[in-house]
Amino acid sequence: MPVTPGASAQAKKLLCYIYSLYGNHVLSGQQETSWANPAGDISWYGTNGLKDPAILGGDLMYRDGASCTSVTATTMRAIAYWNAGGLTMIRYHMGVPAAGLTCAQDCYQGTNCAESTPAGTTLDNAVKAGTAENTSLVARLDYIAVQLKAMQDANVPVILALFHEVQPNGWFWWSKGTATQFVALWKYAFDYLTATKGLTNVIWLMPFSGLSGVGAPIAPYFPGKAMVDLSGPDYQNDSATFNKVKAAVGATLPIPLHESGAALNPSAWFPASPFVLWNIWAGYQKTALATVKTAFGDAHTITRDMVPSLK
Amino acid sequence: MSKPASFLLAIAVMLVLAVVIVAVLVLRHDGGGAELTAAQPAAPPPVRDPMVAPTSPPPGARIATEQPRRPPAPPVLEPRPRAPTSDDAGARLDEASLLSRLHDLAASDPPRSLELAREAVARFPDGANAPEFEWNVVKALANMDRYGEAEEEARSMLRRFPGSAFSEDVEHHLLNHPPNPPSAPAP
């Protein structure tokens, strides 16, 4: 069962399906180039004689002109991909929660952007009601909720990779504090989106960095199985990385490669490190046709046409 | 020895002692970060890797480099070794301990991480952890929002350690990252 209380039928079916694949198959995925011709990422597969990937990855940092309270093009593409038989996975390069900031100020690099170093009190205040940082965080979560609700209304379950690439001394503001602060942040977001906003279509993916071995042990960053459906690294698809995450999250949770390069060799993963999905980063597939072909031709690989109806 | 001669000698000894005591008091009052005391053996120089460019002055270095504000002290006065600090301990750490120290620091003190990581890169350029030390240099600079320098270091790291997971990580986050959305405020 998904950790989301009262999970939708589609969310339950999706998680059951993922569990059924774990250990024997891997879902192919492709992150869209949200900032430039996102449709081109999927059409590239057909153009090159490949089947479409099972998963389309999106990034809520890009709103394509939509306001923080309206449905974005990213969300609309996610719904369309589900309707075409695929699955959707969403991440969000959320800006630093600071006084007066909402999703309208989201950015990757600069002042109060995803990669920025937050002020010393930010992570504590973000989860403390009545603070400016909390108001800012809630504004971002409200924005996410609008997108997830639009998918829920369309009966679309979504794999949510919120606060991605977690590691000690991570790149993004949410993992530049302590493990305790990160877990508090995760719990706040989980409670807000499930209990306060009543969303039932979310599969919660806790996304570690592939460099998770850097720094202090990663296990303290894991929020616990009560708030996580899937948890895995990015990029490093070797068995050592797989086992590192497995040691931190336990042997039962399926382990995804939630973000990846294009050099994928699924046959080498089974049975020792059976990642349950991959998600080639935006545009990376276009310079690696040979390796992508190898990955898509592998007997373990699930493409969109192979995904059963989960509606 | 006659009584007058003994008396004069005693006065001379007392005068010398008084001069020495006054000199010690004056120097102590002058301070300047260098405490001096009489007849202490000089501190041995710290053992350093000859390949290392020093990142901070060794203990006692200020005494040698500062211009004295008072006349030179009598030759019997020698610098007393400075009590070791945690920073000094860090400067003498071996490769594994330096890495461990960087792990402990994580993102909590980027200037200190930068100092330690640069020292590690200089002392262990071909060590097993060299890519991770370089990664820490890049990461500390980024954590201080010094992105221009971080990118420069990242490019150098890609040349030195092509194919390393740490190099790919900095490439992904600094040299080939998603652009800001058009609506983002100017940095």
Side-chain angles (χ1 to χ4, degrees), chain A residues 35 61-63 104-110 115 117 165 167 169-172 176 211 214-215 235-236 259 281 284, chain B residues 103 106-107 132 135-136 139 142-143 147 151 165-166 169-170 172-174 176-181 183-185 187:
Chain A
W35 53 93
M61 178 169 68
Y62 300 96
R63 290 175 291 108
Q105 286 80 37
D106 280 337
C107 46
Y108 188 90
Q109 197 179 82
E115 269 198 358
T117 300
E165 295 184 17
Q167 68 182 68
N169 195 10
W171 285 95
F172 302 121
K176 293 191 183 190
L211 292 181
V214 176
Y235 289 93
Q236 307 311 310
E259 192 177 310
W281 187 244
Y284 282 19
Chain B
H103 288 171
E132 188 169 349
W135 182 90
N136 273 280
K139 193 66 178 55
N143 283 348
Y147 287 108
E151 288 171 11
F166 290 97
D169 190 56
V170 299
H172 184 68
H173 290 98
L174 286 175
N176 191 23
H177 60 75
N180 288 342
S183 59

Side-chain angles (χ1 to χ4, degrees), chain B residues 66-109:
Chain B
E66 281 185 348
Q67 293 296 318
R69 298 184 205 169
R70 303 280 178 187
V76 292
L77 302 177
E78 295 291 343
R80 188 172 66 186
R82 193 183 68 186
T85 66
S86 56
D87 281 2
D88 297 325
R92 287 189 292 272
L93 293 174
D94 62 21
E95 183 175 358
S97 302
L98 263 173
L99 190 59
S100 177
R101 181 81 182 106
L102 286 165
H103 288 171
D104 291 344
L105 281 168
S108 67
D109 187 353

Side-chain angles (χ1 to χ4, degrees), chain A residues 179-204:
Chain A
T180 302
Q181 288 171 319
F182 175 77
V183 170
L185 182 67
W186 182 276
K187 183 176 188 321
Y188 190 94
F190 179 85
D191 289 344
Y192 190 81
L193 293 176
T194 56
T196 305
K197 305 305 284 188
L199 294 161
T200 60
N201 61 330
V202 177
I203 299 296
W204 288 81

Side-chain angles (χ1 to χ4, degrees), chain A residues 71 73 82 101 108 146 149 151 163 219 228 234 240 258 286 307:
Chain A
V71 176
W82 165 264
L101 302 185
Y108 188 90
V146 168
K149 180 68 165 53
M151 295 186 217
F163 303 131
V228 176
D234 68 355
H258 66 86
K286 294 180 180 175
V307 176

Side-chain angles (χ1 to χ4, degrees), chain A residues 156-178:
Chain A
V156 178
V158 54
I159 301 168
L160 181 64
L162 194 58
F163 303 131
H164 59 291
E165 295 184 17
V166 173
Q167 68 182 68
N169 195 10
W171 285 95
F172 302 121
W173 63 262
W174 49 82
S175 59
K176 293 191 183 190
T178 65

